[in-house]
Amino acid sequence: MSVIRTILTIVLIIVSVILTVIVLMQEGKQDGLGAIAGTSETYWGKNKGRSMEGRLVKATALLVAVLFVLCILLDMSLF
């Protein structure tokens, strides 16, 4: 059973590193002075889900869920 625990620990470390890189790749969420002038409602602002930024947000959510499940599994001491 310790082999499974070792594999899960390695996967946890890999997911943690990938999650850190993806979070650092994301842009800031502040609109700055553009929000005052209304320039934040551009084509890219409305269609962020289809852009690279949208994919990074989805990947972040997925990796956080995987990280959460791995942490719970490793904490249960089943392996």
Side-chain angles (χ1 to χ4, degrees), residues 9-59:
T9 305
I10 292 171
V11 171
L12 178 74
I13 293 170
I14 292 171
V15 168
S16 299
V17 169
I18 293 172
L19 183 62
T20 303
V21 170
I22 287 178
V23 167
L24 290 174
M25 287 174 56
Q26 293 180 11
E27 297 176 11
K29 301 294 181 198
Q30 295 176 341
D31 286 335
L33 293 177
I36 296 172
T39 58
S40 62
E41 289 297 320
T42 62
Y43 174 77
W44 294 110
K46 292 180 182 177
N47 293 315
K48 264 198 169 174
R50 297 182 185 157
S51 67
M52 181 65 157
E53 182 70 21
R55 286 188 289 248
L56 288 174
V57 170
K58 290 177 186 174

Side-chain angles (χ1 to χ4, degrees), residues 1-13 74 79:
M1 288 292 186
S2 68
V3 174
I4 295 173
R5 186 170 182 81
T6 305
I7 291 171
L8 286 177
T9 305
I10 292 171
V11 171
L12 178 74
I13 293 170
L74 287 170
F79 307 110

